Amino acid sequence: MKIIYKEGEGEIEEKKSRFIAHVYPVQSEEQAVSYINEVKKKYWDARHNCYAYVLGEDAGFQRFSDDGEPQGTAGKPILDIIMKSGIYNCLIIVTRYFGGTLLGTGGLIRAYQAASKEGLEHSTVLSVSDGVLAQIDADYNSIGKIQYICLEMHIDILKTEYTENVYMEMIVQAENYGQFVQKITDAFSGKISVVKIQQQKFGKSESQIHTDRKSTRLNSSHITISYAVFCLK
């Protein structure tokens, strides 16, 4: 399951026609219509403002518009890109400034899809998972082994505080939480335990972790992880 975490904009040019794509996260039809009207107002002199959006985790609600382009050459191709990407609650609007050359049916489809892809590439897209926010209190001698287990299980450490002991917070895939607890228990013969803070949906981009905690940076095993934490309702 994927979402748009941060909106984006991309542009392509095809035979002097400009195609400007705007990508937005949306939670309702009213919000989608509001964004569409904003873009139409901003690009009032453009010939077309075509769009598509999907709502619901199963993408059960879909709308699209060719906005004056030949039927099936704009809105549906944009929708196809959203569906293939696996993103839900997403709106893409592609504005076209006509360059004087007709592109034909195939050319229009390719251009609107290419612009949509460009917009998505300039947006922050997160893969969303069910997880567990957990914590560990350990002595300094144990931190290396804990970090190794987290790295081995692809668990991201969100926070590390160094006082008399080392306090760590991590986000664990819900399906892997039991295995993680067992690994920590076995590795330290039960002397160190994992404490569950809360169930936590979390999203992960290529190089970032996003949760509902304050953004920070962690350097571990020569790997730098940037992250911000968010909660999904």
Side-chain angles (χ1 to χ4, degrees):
M1 185 169 67
K2 297 179 182 179
I3 63 165
I4 300 296
Y5 181 69
K6 186 177 181 181
E7 62 191 48
E9 177 183 339
E11 180 176 341
I12 68 163
E13 184 174 313
E14 182 65 30
K15 295 183 179 179
K16 297 185 179 180
S17 280
R18 292 175 61 202
F19 294 84
I20 307 165
H22 288 271
V23 180
Y24 299 97
V26 289
Q27 300 297 322
S28 67
E29 187 172 16
E30 291 75 19
Q31 188 179 23
V33 170
S34 177
Y35 279 131
I36 292 165
N37 289 336
E38 283 181 17
V39 169
K40 285 183 175 181
K41 184 176 180 180
K42 179 179 180 180
Y43 299 105
W44 60 269
D45 56 340
R47 180 166 292 191
H48 308 283
N49 288 284
C50 308
Y51 63 83
Y53 59 93
V54 298
L55 298 172
E57 293 186 16
D58 60 352
F61 188 92
Q62 304 175 7
R63 290 289 185 272
F64 58 88
S65 170
D66 295 314
D67 193 34
E69 292 282 28
Q71 185 176 356
T73 62
K76 184 60 165 59
I78 297 170
L79 178 65
D80 289 342
I81 293 299
I82 297 175
M83 297 302 293
K84 288 177 182 177
S85 70
I87 301 171
Y88 75 98
N89 289 353
C90 174
L91 163 67
I92 299 179
I93 309 167
V94 181
T95 300
R96 181 191 181 189
Y97 281 94
F98 184 56
T101 302
L102 296 175
L103 301 182
T105 299
L108 285 171
I109 291 172
R110 287 190 293 272
Y112 277 102
Q113 290 194 329
S116 299
K117 290 177 181 178
E118 189 73 11
L120 287 173
E121 287 177 2
H122 286 83
S123 307
T124 303
V125 180
L126 302 181
S127 295
V128 179
S129 303
D130 291 316
V132 175
L133 190 63
Q135 67 182 44
I136 292 177
D137 284 294
D139 59 70
Y140 281 77
N141 293 329
S142 305
I143 186 172
K145 187 176 288 187
I146 294 170
Q147 288 176 330
Y148 176 78
I149 291 172
C150 288
L151 187 64
E152 183 183 45
M153 294 188 65
H154 306 288
I155 293 169
D156 294 283
I157 299 171
L158 305 180
K159 182 179 181 181
T160 305
E161 293 180 354
Y162 299 93
T163 54
E164 291 184 2
N165 287 328
V166 181
Y167 172 83
M168 305 170 75
E169 285 185 8
M170 60 280 297
I171 190 81
V172 188
Q173 289 269 3
E175 60 190 30
N176 297 331
Y177 182 68
Q179 182 185 3
F180 175 60
V181 171
Q182 192 61 54
K183 275 183 173 286
I184 293 295
T185 300
D186 293 345
F188 298 100
S189 302
K191 295 179 181 178
I192 294 177
S193 59
V194 180
V195 177
K196 177 180 176 180
I197 299 175
Q198 64 185 37
Q199 294 292 123
Q200 175 73 68
K201 276 189 180 294
F202 71 100
K204 188 172 184 179
S205 62
E206 200 167 282
S207 61
Q208 295 181 313
I209 300 297
H210 301 273
T211 67
D212 63 350
R213 299 271 169 166
K214 185 178 179 181
S215 299
T216 185
R217 296 181 72 85
L218 165 70
N219 293 301
S220 173
S221 303
H222 309 293
I223 296 174
T224 300
I225 301 172
S226 299
Y227 69 85
V229 180
F230 75 102
C231 286
L232 290 176
K233 295 182 180 179

